[in-house]
Amino acid sequence: MLDYGSGNLRSAERALRRVGADVTVTADFDAACEADGLVVPGVGAFAHCMEGLNAVRGPQLIGRRLAGGRPVLGICVGMQVMFDRGVEFGVEADGCGQWPGTVERLKADVLPHMGWNTVTAPAGSTLFNGLDAGTRFYFVHSFAARRWELESSHAIRPPLVTWAHHGEDFVAAVENGPLAATQFHPEKSGDAGAQVLQNWLRDVVG
Amino acid sequence: MGVAVRVIPCLDVDAGRVVKGVNFKELRDAGDPVEMAAVYDAEGADELTFLDVTASSGERETMVDVVRRTAEQVFIPLTVGGGIRTPDDVDRMLRAGADKVSVNTAAIARPELLGEMARRFGSQCIVLSVDARRVVDGPATPSTFEVTTHGGRTGTGIDAVEWAARGQELGVGEILLNSMDADGTRAGFDLELIEKVRRVVDVPVIASGGAGALEHFPPAVRAGADAVLAASVFHFGQLRIGEVKDVLRADHVEVR
């Protein structure tokens, strides 16, 4: 689990241990590069998270892992930073650029989007394997990817995009080869969240 | 489908033990907070709130320990309030495993504190707790509700509805709205208070104070609450979390 000064890592660490992972919380580039799987958590402001990530060469680390097909899981703002950029209150910041698109403020009556919501996962999803359609996950965020802009060619396996709705549709999870991410907090989503983490972990160890 | 209305049990904790008093005056011991948190999680609570009512600051570390032990075995969101005065207090609770921290009296003394906390930790984890009551003595406020301190015994003259709006402006991500008139009465939520605050904020509003029967919950949601919080009715087994969700579901409210 990448430690770059972003909030409460303990919950995610404990939730991963609960499903059987051997977890190391580290900011060390080589250790994070060599792990079987890397979790990138994140809470708070997009720009602030990117500052922290840049300080530990996070974008290079994530890029190098993905180039080698090594799994990465982004959670909440840890998912948002995988996009090209984020705009919060007029402040624009570059993300890691793994996916095209901008993370923006949701158009909804009540923000933050705080609480348990359902998601619509595509057929073939690994992350949501074994979970019923009405299962709810815990979200807390005001910003999101409101569109999915990565064009898929028929030559490659297309990314699996899971959607949720609060005021409008937004991206709730992505499974794109070795890069997976969730806008909700699996570590705070009780047994349903544990199942998502376990599904990811099973995929990591093959 | 949309986000579910949250049902939140609140545990008042004094020196590491759960208590709940009628209007905060008669405290009764209802058990171990860590154990109760696990029970509420199993019963389907959507979040948990711990309110530290410990009087002496020497006991604050006890609360940190309670939070740490709870977060080790409960995998739903946890909010901690009571005695949070500085950004470092917030930091300590978040590091122990809390997801959100609620701020009350310290923000009344210095509102800018809310902005400082929201900027450092993010709006999503700063909750403004407003203890409101109808003005009984002293000058009227525009909304007729005022902010109180000391468990509702001391009026501040600050308009409670304007204070909630100010909190949102300063960056808090949620309002915990406690009716001190209704608290402990089990006669139902203060719907007028909820409606008035709902009209001026677009962050989530948690309605608190007055829950005594199942039929009290749907009107609070209709008045605009995004979450409903109760303490004693849950602790003493008078109502179960699942029953509250059933009655909300029957009223076409989405619940988890």
Side-chain angles (χ1 to χ4, degrees):
Chain A
M1 182 168 312
L2 190 60
D3 180 5
Y4 62 98
S6 175
N8 171 13
L9 305 179
R10 290 176 64 91
S11 302
E13 180 191 352
R14 274 187 294 252
L16 280 160
R17 288 227 165 92
R18 182 190 179 197
V19 295
D22 177 6
V23 187
T24 304
V25 178
T26 183
D28 183 81
F29 191 95
D30 293 332
C33 205
E34 285 158 19
D36 293 330
L38 177 70
V39 174
V40 181
V43 296
F46 186 104
H48 182 74
C49 282
M50 280 309 300
E51 273 172 38
L53 268 180
N54 284 328
V56 299
R57 293 195 294 146
Q60 295 94 316
L61 166 65
I62 291 163
R64 194 172 296 180
R65 283 191 62 93
L66 295 175
R70 284 168 288 183
V72 174
L73 175 67
I75 296 176
C76 197
V77 182
M79 162 168 151
Q80 297 180 357
V81 296
M82 300 301 171
F83 288 86
D84 273 343
R85 72 192 75 78
V87 181
E88 296 192 355
F89 305 109
V91 178
E92 183 169 328
D94 284 339
C96 295
Q98 293 297 333
W99 299 319
T102 303
V103 173
E104 303 165 287
R105 191 169 166 89
L106 276 171
K107 292 184 182 2
D109 291 340
V110 175
L111 285 178
H113 172 220
M114 189 182 287
W116 299 77
N117 210 336
T118 56
V119 301
T120 307
S125 164
T126 300
L127 284 184
F128 298 95
N129 190 21
L131 289 159
D132 296 335
T135 305
R136 290 179 183 269
F137 301 91
Y138 190 79
F139 290 83
V140 50
H141 63 118
S142 297
F143 299 84
R146 297 160 59 228
R147 283 175 293 278
W148 178 255
E149 298 178 12
L150 181 62
E151 303 267 344
S152 305
S153 78
H154 295 292
I156 60 161
R157 193 172 154 212
L160 297 177
V161 180
T162 294
W163 295 86
H165 187 87
H166 182 67
E168 60 180 336
D169 288 346
F170 66 90
V171 176
V174 181
E175 296 159 71
N176 181 202
L179 180 57
T182 65
Q183 176 63 69
F184 58 84
H185 288 271
E187 77 279 15
K188 283 287 156 187
S189 297
D191 292 341
Q195 183 69 57
V196 167
L197 291 174
Q198 194 164 40
N199 288 342
W200 179 72
L201 210 57
R202 207 170 276 155
D203 207 40
V204 165
V205 296
Chain B
M1 299 286 269
V3 67
V5 166
R6 289 166 281 154
V7 179
I8 307 173
C10 175
L11 293 84
D12 292 359
V13 180
D14 183 5
R17 299 283 296 174
V18 178
V19 289
K20 175 64 189 180
V22 176
N23 284 329
F24 289 125
K25 282 170 192 153
E26 299 158 25
L27 298 178
R28 290 167 66 183
D29 191 338
D32 172 24
V34 181
E35 197 176 317
M36 287 190 73
V39 169
Y40 284 137
D41 178 17
E43 287 198 347
D46 296 309
E47 272 183 40
L48 296 168
T49 291
F50 283 170
L51 181 61
D52 187 3
V53 297
T54 308
S56 76
S57 55
E59 297 275 11
R60 294 278 176 235
E61 279 310 305
T62 310
M63 194 61 192
V64 173
D65 181 57
V66 166
V67 170
R68 188 176 294 122
R69 287 188 292 123
T70 304
E72 257 155 36
Q73 50 174 287
V74 173
F75 296 90
I76 57 174
L78 173 63
T79 304
V80 180
I84 303 291
R85 300 185 192 290
T86 66
D88 285 343
D89 291 338
V90 177
D91 190 51
R92 196 172 307 125
M93 286 305 177
L94 295 180
R95 282 179 189 282
D99 299 284
K100 297 186 271 185
V101 168
S102 75
V103 188
N104 193 330
T105 315
I108 297 168
R110 203 172 69 81
E112 299 73 27
L113 185 62
L114 296 172
E116 291 163 22
M117 289 173 170
R119 277 192 297 279
R120 178 163 161 194
F121 304 103
S123 288
Q124 82 289 335
C125 64
I126 306 300
V127 181
L128 175 61
S129 177
V130 180
D131 288 349
R133 73 171 183 202
R134 282 182 171 72
V135 179
V136 279
D137 45 8
T141 61
S143 73
T144 73
F145 291 97
E146 72 172 327
V147 178
T148 68
T149 60
H150 302 91
R153 293 191 302 276
T154 309
T156 63
I158 299 167
D159 187 290
V161 175
E162 287 173 8
W163 176 232
R166 179 89 196 283
Q168 171 172 319
E169 272 169 38
L170 287 164
V172 305
E174 194 167 46
I175 306 289
L176 170 53
L177 187 58
N178 317 297
S179 165
M180 304 316 290
D181 295 320
D183 190 72
T185 64
R186 301 193 183 185
F189 293 92
D190 190 327
L191 303 179
E192 185 189 344
L193 176 63
I194 299 167
E195 280 165 7
K196 284 184 167 170
V197 170
R198 173 78 288 162
R199 245 176 260 144
V200 300
V201 301
D202 52 24
V203 296
V205 174
I206 304 171
S208 163
L214 292 174
E215 62 266 27
H216 292 153
F217 290 90
V221 174
R222 284 198 292 269
D226 301 284
V228 286
L229 179 144
S232 53
V233 287
F234 292 139
H235 300 335
F236 298 113
Q238 189 189 340
L239 302 179
R240 310 296 289 262
I241 307 270
E243 293 176 326
V244 172
K245 291 191 171 186
D246 288 343
V247 77
L248 287 172
R249 201 178 281 116
D251 202 59
H252 309 291
V253 174
E254 284 194 43
V255 291
R256 173 176 160 246

